[in-house]
Amino acid sequence: MSAVVDRAAEEAGRDPGLIRRVYNVSGRFSALAGKGFLQGPPSLWVEQLTELAHAYGMSVFVMAPGEERDLKIFAEEVAPAVRQAVGRERPPAVQPAARGPLEESTRPRLPKRDLAALPAAQQERGLHLVMIHDQLRQELTQIRDAVEQVAAGRGEVAALRSMISRLTMRQNYWTLGSFCASYCRILTVHHTIEDERMFPALRSAQASLAPVVDRLQEEHEVIAELLTDLDAALVAMVEDADAIDGVRERLEVLSEALLSHLAYEEEELVEPIARLDLDI
């Protein structure tokens, strides 16, 4: 399966080493090694998960909910040791060139037609895209508010220094991370649907839209990189309370890029979607 991903990435002109691969972890901790995979002490888990990272490029391991003891061992013993082992043995990845906020001045733009001149039913089809984007914008605002609340609570914990307060804050970090991860998945699915269904339909129905559609797809790639950066910052935050500042910074960069992208897409595509009456 990993080889299939490698070939597909190369055919698409992407570096296979930059493709995130997720492995759902399922096993049993025990004092002695068993016959199955991930059956034994934490040290065995570290060895086998590290091998998955090196041999098959796995970069994310998701532990299925189970016994609290197992989750604790995985989070406190296995995950940090695997991260350290992979970082020690894997050569530094070649990072994509640094990219700032999306460049407004270079975006292709088409002559505009009046959306209001179309029948109400067609207008509604085009405005459906705005409705979806409004939901993304609303949830993004909620995430930014949540990050600020957690960041403010960090100072209170530092002042109180009680175990209960520290445990509460750690739970807040996990909750915030889950909230952000859910949003990232929703946004990624939305962009995938656009790339695979909406954009090809628009390009086929009106050839002059091709430069705009191509640019929007390029911006999807930029936003995907920003989501990866945010994910890395969230992982660091769980391990180090002060790392929440990195989450705030990356979230601001993502917000600026995403809001600009959504506005550009609406400006260029709402009227064509309505006028062309496509089933997308």
Side-chain angles (χ1 to χ4, degrees):
M1 293 172 64
S2 187
V4 170
V5 173
D6 287 345
R7 289 194 298 271
E10 291 170 354
E11 291 171 1
R14 299 182 63 182
D15 181 356
L18 298 178
I19 303 297
R20 183 185 307 182
R21 305 164 202 232
V22 180
Y23 186 90
N24 291 323
V25 175
S26 178
R28 182 175 62 86
F29 289 110
S30 60
L32 300 176
K35 295 182 179 180
F37 188 67
L38 297 180
Q39 303 288 327
S43 59
L44 177 65
W45 282 53
V46 172
E47 176 184 339
Q48 293 180 340
L49 293 181
T50 299
E51 181 182 0
L52 283 180
H54 288 149
Y56 302 103
M58 295 299 169
S59 53
V60 178
F61 295 107
V62 178
M63 178 69 172
E67 296 293 331
E68 182 177 352
R69 169 184 170 275
D70 292 342
L71 291 173
K72 183 179 179 66
I73 294 174
F74 182 79
E76 296 183 357
E77 299 182 36
V78 175
V82 172
R83 190 176 296 114
Q84 183 179 21
V86 171
R88 182 173 59 249
E89 299 180 25
R90 176 183 291 174
V94 177
Q95 297 299 320
R99 308 178 78 162
L102 302 178
E103 181 55 52
E104 172 77 18
S105 62
T106 62
R107 283 169 166 164
R109 297 185 184 279
L110 299 179
K112 300 300 182 288
R113 305 186 190 188
D114 186 7
L115 179 67
L118 297 173
Q122 285 184 272
Q123 292 184 41
E124 184 177 351
R125 181 182 292 274
L127 292 173
H128 181 70
L129 178 67
V130 179
M131 181 187 72
I132 295 173
H133 286 180
D134 283 345
Q135 184 65 33
L136 292 173
R137 283 185 279 253
Q138 179 183 351
E139 293 185 8
L140 180 62
T141 298
Q142 293 173 348
I143 289 176
R144 295 173 69 180
D145 290 343
V147 168
E148 293 304 318
Q149 291 175 20
V150 172
R154 174 189 55 176
E156 298 172 4
V157 170
L160 294 174
R161 295 189 179 281
S162 71
M163 179 172 291
I164 292 178
S165 296
R166 289 197 298 271
L167 289 175
T168 299
M169 182 52 59
R170 187 171 181 82
Q171 180 61 48
N172 288 344
Y173 285 163
W174 280 103
T175 302
L176 177 61
S178 298
F179 188 16
C180 291
S182 176
Y183 181 77
C184 292
R185 285 194 297 271
I186 292 171
L187 179 58
T188 299
V189 169
H190 172 63
H191 282 176
T192 300
I193 292 173
E194 289 187 333
D195 289 340
E196 296 182 355
R197 294 183 55 190
M198 188 174 82
F199 290 168
L202 287 167
R203 188 185 286 108
S204 176
Q206 182 177 323
S208 61
L209 284 170
V212 171
V213 169
D214 290 344
R215 178 56 182 265
L216 288 168
Q217 287 186 298
E218 292 175 4
E219 295 189 358
H220 283 182
E221 294 295 328
V222 175
I223 292 172
E225 293 176 9
L226 298 178
L227 292 175
T228 298
D229 291 343
L230 176 60
D231 180 71
L234 289 165
V235 171
M237 178 191 68
V238 173
E239 298 179 350
D240 178 6
D242 291 332
I244 192 172
D245 292 331
V247 173
R248 298 167 77 181
E249 293 171 3
R250 287 166 176 78
L251 184 58
E252 283 304 309
V253 174
L254 171 64
S255 298
E256 180 181 354
L258 180 58
L259 294 177
S260 175
H261 171 78
L262 296 179
Y264 171 55
E265 184 173 307
E266 291 169 5
E267 179 184 348
E268 297 299 321
L269 297 188
V270 166
E271 189 277 337
I273 290 173
R275 173 171 45 82
L276 298 171
D277 203 22
L278 301 174
D279 184 18
I280 53 179

Short mmCIF file of all heavy atoms in Angstrom, two decimals, residues 21-57:
data_model
loop_
_atom_site.label_atom_id
_atom_site.label_comp_id
_atom_site.label_asym_id
_atom_site.label_seq_id
_atom_site.Cartn_x
_atom_site.Cartn_y
_atom_site.Cartn_z
N ARG A 21 1.30 9.61 6.38
CA ARG A 21 0.71 8.28 6.42
C ARG A 21 0.35 7.93 7.86
O ARG A 21 1.19 8.04 8.74
CB ARG A 21 1.68 7.24 5.83
CG ARG A 21 2.12 7.64 4.42
CD ARG A 21 3.34 6.87 3.98
NE ARG A 21 4.03 7.59 2.92
CZ ARG A 21 4.37 7.06 1.76
NH1 ARG A 21 4.11 5.80 1.51
NH2 ARG A 21 4.99 7.78 0.85
N VAL A 22 -0.87 7.53 8.06
CA VAL A 22 -1.40 7.30 9.41
C VAL A 22 -1.62 5.81 9.63
O VAL A 22 -2.16 5.11 8.77
CB VAL A 22 -2.72 8.06 9.60
CG1 VAL A 22 -3.27 7.83 11.01
CG2 VAL A 22 -2.52 9.55 9.35
N TYR A 23 -1.19 5.32 10.80
CA TYR A 23 -1.35 3.91 11.15
C TYR A 23 -2.18 3.81 12.42
O TYR A 23 -1.85 4.42 13.45
CB TYR A 23 0.01 3.26 11.37
CG TYR A 23 -0.04 1.76 11.59
CD1 TYR A 23 0.03 0.88 10.53
CD2 TYR A 23 -0.18 1.23 12.88
CE1 TYR A 23 -0.02 -0.49 10.72
CE2 TYR A 23 -0.23 -0.14 13.08
CZ TYR A 23 -0.15 -1.00 12.00
OH TYR A 23 -0.21 -2.35 12.20
N ASN A 24 -3.28 3.08 12.37
CA ASN A 24 -4.13 2.87 13.54
C ASN A 24 -3.54 1.75 14.40
O ASN A 24 -3.44 0.61 13.95
CB ASN A 24 -5.55 2.52 13.11
CG ASN A 24 -6.26 3.68 12.46
OD1 ASN A 24 -6.08 4.83 12.87
ND2 ASN A 24 -7.04 3.42 11.43
N VAL A 25 -3.17 2.11 15.61
CA VAL A 25 -2.45 1.19 16.49
C VAL A 25 -3.43 0.34 17.29
O VAL A 25 -4.38 0.85 17.89
CB VAL A 25 -1.54 1.97 17.46
CG1 VAL A 25 -0.90 1.02 18.47
CG2 VAL A 25 -0.48 2.72 16.68
N SER A 26 -3.19 -0.96 17.30
CA SER A 26 -3.99 -1.88 18.10
C SER A 26 -3.07 -3.00 18.59
O SER A 26 -2.39 -3.65 17.79
CB SER A 26 -5.14 -2.47 17.28
OG SER A 26 -5.88 -3.40 18.05
N GLY A 27 -3.03 -3.21 19.89
CA GLY A 27 -2.15 -4.24 20.43
C GLY A 27 -2.42 -4.46 21.90
O GLY A 27 -3.46 -4.03 22.43
N ARG A 28 -1.47 -5.10 22.59
CA ARG A 28 -1.65 -5.41 24.01
C ARG A 28 -0.30 -5.30 24.71
O ARG A 28 0.70 -5.85 24.24
CB ARG A 28 -2.22 -6.82 24.20
CG ARG A 28 -2.48 -7.20 25.65
CD ARG A 28 -3.14 -8.57 25.70
NE ARG A 28 -2.27 -9.60 25.13
CZ ARG A 28 -1.35 -10.24 25.84
NH1 ARG A 28 -1.17 -9.96 27.14
NH2 ARG A 28 -0.60 -11.18 25.28
N PHE A 29 -0.29 -4.56 25.81
CA PHE A 29 0.93 -4.45 26.61
C PHE A 29 1.00 -5.64 27.57
O PHE A 29 0.01 -6.01 28.21
CB PHE A 29 0.93 -3.15 27.42
CG PHE A 29 1.14 -1.92 26.59
CD1 PHE A 29 0.11 -1.01 26.39
CD2 PHE A 29 2.37 -1.67 26.00
CE1 PHE A 29 0.31 0.12 25.62
CE2 PHE A 29 2.58 -0.54 25.22
CZ PHE A 29 1.54 0.35 25.04
N SER A 30 2.19 -6.24 27.65
CA SER A 30 2.42 -7.35 28.57
C SER A 30 3.89 -7.38 28.94
O SER A 30 4.74 -6.77 28.27
CB SER A 30 2.00 -8.68 27.93
OG SER A 30 2.75 -8.94 26.77
N ALA A 31 4.21 -8.10 30.01
CA ALA A 31 5.59 -8.15 30.47
C ALA A 31 6.49 -8.89 29.49
O ALA A 31 7.66 -8.55 29.31
CB ALA A 31 5.65 -8.82 31.84
N LEU A 32 5.94 -9.91 28.83
CA LEU A 32 6.72 -10.72 27.89
C LEU A 32 6.19 -10.55 26.48
O LEU A 32 5.00 -10.31 26.28
CB LEU A 32 6.66 -12.20 28.29
CG LEU A 32 7.20 -12.55 29.69
CD1 LEU A 32 6.98 -14.02 29.96
CD2 LEU A 32 8.68 -12.18 29.80
N ALA A 33 7.07 -10.67 25.52
CA ALA A 33 6.68 -10.53 24.12
C ALA A 33 5.81 -11.69 23.69
O ALA A 33 6.10 -12.86 23.99
CB ALA A 33 7.92 -10.44 23.23
N GLY A 34 4.73 -11.39 22.99
CA GLY A 34 3.87 -12.43 22.46
C GLY A 34 4.23 -12.74 21.02
O GLY A 34 5.23 -12.27 20.49
N LYS A 35 3.39 -13.51 20.36
CA LYS A 35 3.68 -13.91 18.99
C LYS A 35 3.16 -12.90 17.98
O LYS A 35 3.63 -12.86 16.85
CB LYS A 35 3.06 -15.28 18.72
CG LYS A 35 3.66 -16.41 19.55
CD LYS A 35 3.03 -17.73 19.17
CE LYS A 35 3.64 -18.89 19.98
NZ LYS A 35 3.04 -20.19 19.62
N GLY A 36 2.19 -12.10 18.35
CA GLY A 36 1.59 -11.16 17.40
C GLY A 36 2.31 -9.82 17.37
O GLY A 36 3.21 -9.55 18.16
N PHE A 37 1.87 -8.96 16.44
CA PHE A 37 2.41 -7.62 16.31
C PHE A 37 1.90 -6.75 17.45
O PHE A 37 0.72 -6.79 17.80
CB PHE A 37 2.00 -7.04 14.95
CG PHE A 37 2.65 -5.73 14.63
CD1 PHE A 37 4.02 -5.64 14.41
CD2 PHE A 37 1.90 -4.57 14.55
CE1 PHE A 37 4.62 -4.44 14.10
CE2 PHE A 37 2.49 -3.36 14.25
CZ PHE A 37 3.86 -3.29 14.02
N LEU A 38 2.79 -5.95 18.03
CA LEU A 38 2.47 -5.08 19.17
C LEU A 38 1.87 -5.89 20.32
O LEU A 38 0.85 -5.51 20.92
CB LEU A 38 1.50 -3.96 18.74
CG LEU A 38 2.05 -2.97 17.69
CD1 LEU A 38 1.00 -1.92 17.35
CD2 LEU A 38 3.34 -2.31 18.15
N GLN A 39 2.51 -6.97 20.63
CA GLN A 39 2.11 -7.81 21.76
C GLN A 39 3.33 -7.97 22.67
O GLN A 39 4.21 -8.79 22.40
CB GLN A 39 1.64 -9.18 21.28
CG GLN A 39 0.49 -9.15 20.30
CD GLN A 39 -0.82 -8.77 20.96
OE1 GLN A 39 -1.06 -9.10 22.12
NE2 GLN A 39 -1.66 -8.06 20.23
N GLY A 40 3.42 -7.12 23.71
CA GLY A 40 4.58 -7.22 24.59
C GLY A 40 4.84 -5.92 25.35
O GLY A 40 3.96 -5.06 25.44
N PRO A 41 6.04 -5.76 25.89
CA PRO A 41 6.36 -4.59 26.71
C PRO A 41 6.47 -3.33 25.85
O PRO A 41 6.61 -3.41 24.62
CB PRO A 41 7.71 -4.96 27.33
CG PRO A 41 8.30 -5.93 26.36
CD PRO A 41 7.16 -6.72 25.80
N PRO A 42 6.46 -2.16 26.48
CA PRO A 42 6.56 -0.90 25.73
C PRO A 42 7.79 -0.84 24.82
O PRO A 42 7.72 -0.28 23.73
CB PRO A 42 6.63 0.16 26.83
CG PRO A 42 5.89 -0.45 27.98
CD PRO A 42 6.21 -1.91 27.92
N SER A 43 8.91 -1.43 25.27
CA SER A 43 10.12 -1.39 24.45
C SER A 43 9.91 -2.08 23.10
O SER A 43 10.45 -1.66 22.07
CB SER A 43 11.29 -2.04 25.20
OG SER A 43 10.98 -3.39 25.53
N LEU A 44 9.12 -3.17 23.10
CA LEU A 44 8.83 -3.87 21.85
C LEU A 44 7.96 -3.00 20.94
O LEU A 44 8.17 -2.94 19.73
CB LEU A 44 8.12 -5.19 22.15
CG LEU A 44 7.69 -6.01 20.92
CD1 LEU A 44 8.92 -6.48 20.14
CD2 LEU A 44 6.83 -7.19 21.32
N TRP A 45 6.99 -2.32 21.55
CA TRP A 45 6.14 -1.42 20.78
C TRP A 45 6.99 -0.34 20.11
O TRP A 45 6.81 -0.01 18.94
CB TRP A 45 5.10 -0.76 21.69
CG TRP A 45 3.94 -1.63 22.05
CD1 TRP A 45 3.97 -2.88 22.59
CD2 TRP A 45 2.56 -1.29 21.91
NE1 TRP A 45 2.70 -3.34 22.81
CE2 TRP A 45 1.81 -2.38 22.40
CE3 TRP A 45 1.89 -0.18 21.44
CZ2 TRP A 45 0.42 -2.38 22.40
CZ3 TRP A 45 0.50 -0.17 21.44
CH2 TRP A 45 -0.22 -1.26 21.92
N VAL A 46 7.93 0.22 20.87
CA VAL A 46 8.79 1.28 20.33
C VAL A 46 9.57 0.75 19.13
O VAL A 46 9.66 1.40 18.09
CB VAL A 46 9.75 1.80 21.42
CG1 VAL A 46 10.77 2.76 20.81
CG2 VAL A 46 8.97 2.50 22.53
N GLU A 47 10.13 -0.44 19.28
CA GLU A 47 10.92 -1.03 18.20
C GLU A 47 10.08 -1.26 16.95
O GLU A 47 10.49 -0.94 15.82
CB GLU A 47 11.51 -2.36 18.68
CG GLU A 47 12.29 -3.12 17.62
CD GLU A 47 12.78 -4.47 18.12
OE1 GLU A 47 12.86 -4.65 19.36
OE2 GLU A 47 13.05 -5.34 17.28
N GLN A 48 8.87 -1.80 17.12
CA GLN A 48 8.06 -2.16 15.96
C GLN A 48 7.44 -0.93 15.30
O GLN A 48 7.36 -0.85 14.07
CB GLN A 48 6.98 -3.16 16.38
CG GLN A 48 7.57 -4.51 16.79
CD GLN A 48 6.51 -5.52 17.22
OE1 GLN A 48 5.39 -5.16 17.58
NE2 GLN A 48 6.88 -6.80 17.17
N LEU A 49 7.03 0.06 16.08
CA LEU A 49 6.47 1.27 15.49
C LEU A 49 7.56 2.09 14.79
O LEU A 49 7.32 2.71 13.74
CB LEU A 49 5.76 2.11 16.56
CG LEU A 49 4.50 1.49 17.16
CD1 LEU A 49 3.89 2.43 18.19
CD2 LEU A 49 3.47 1.17 16.08
N THR A 50 8.75 2.10 15.36
CA THR A 50 9.87 2.79 14.71
C THR A 50 10.18 2.15 13.36
O THR A 50 10.48 2.84 12.38
CB THR A 50 11.12 2.76 15.61
OG1 THR A 50 10.83 3.43 16.85
CG2 THR A 50 12.30 3.45 14.94
N GLU A 51 10.09 0.81 13.32
CA GLU A 51 10.32 0.11 12.06
C GLU A 51 9.28 0.51 11.02
O GLU A 51 9.60 0.68 9.83
CB GLU A 51 10.28 -1.40 12.28
CG GLU A 51 10.54 -2.20 11.01
CD GLU A 51 10.46 -3.70 11.24
OE1 GLU A 51 10.20 -4.12 12.39
OE2 GLU A 51 10.66 -4.45 10.26
N LEU A 52 8.04 0.67 11.43
CA LEU A 52 6.99 1.11 10.50
C LEU A 52 7.31 2.50 9.94
O LEU A 52 7.08 2.77 8.76
CB LEU A 52 5.63 1.15 11.20
CG LEU A 52 4.92 -0.19 11.42
CD1 LEU A 52 3.58 0.05 12.12
CD2 LEU A 52 4.70 -0.92 10.10
N ALA A 53 7.82 3.36 10.81
CA ALA A 53 8.17 4.71 10.35
C ALA A 53 9.30 4.68 9.34
O ALA A 53 9.25 5.37 8.31
CB ALA A 53 8.54 5.57 11.56
N HIS A 54 10.32 3.88 9.60
CA HIS A 54 11.48 3.84 8.72
C HIS A 54 11.21 3.06 7.44
O HIS A 54 11.60 3.48 6.34
CB HIS A 54 12.67 3.21 9.45
CG HIS A 54 13.24 4.11 10.50
ND1 HIS A 54 13.83 3.64 11.66
CD2 HIS A 54 13.30 5.46 10.58
CE1 HIS A 54 14.23 4.67 12.39
NE2 HIS A 54 13.92 5.76 11.76
N ALA A 55 10.54 1.92 7.54
CA ALA A 55 10.38 1.04 6.39
C ALA A 55 9.24 1.47 5.47
O ALA A 55 9.32 1.29 4.25
CB ALA A 55 10.14 -0.40 6.85
N TYR A 56 8.19 2.06 6.04
CA TYR A 56 7.01 2.37 5.25
C TYR A 56 6.60 3.84 5.29
O TYR A 56 5.58 4.22 4.72
CB TYR A 56 5.83 1.50 5.70
CG TYR A 56 6.13 0.03 5.59
CD1 TYR A 56 6.45 -0.73 6.72
CD2 TYR A 56 6.12 -0.61 4.35
CE1 TYR A 56 6.75 -2.08 6.62
CE2 TYR A 56 6.41 -1.96 4.24
CZ TYR A 56 6.73 -2.68 5.37
OH TYR A 56 7.02 -4.01 5.27
N GLY A 57 7.38 4.67 5.98
CA GLY A 57 7.10 6.10 5.98
C GLY A 57 5.95 6.53 6.85
O GLY A 57 5.43 7.64 6.69
#
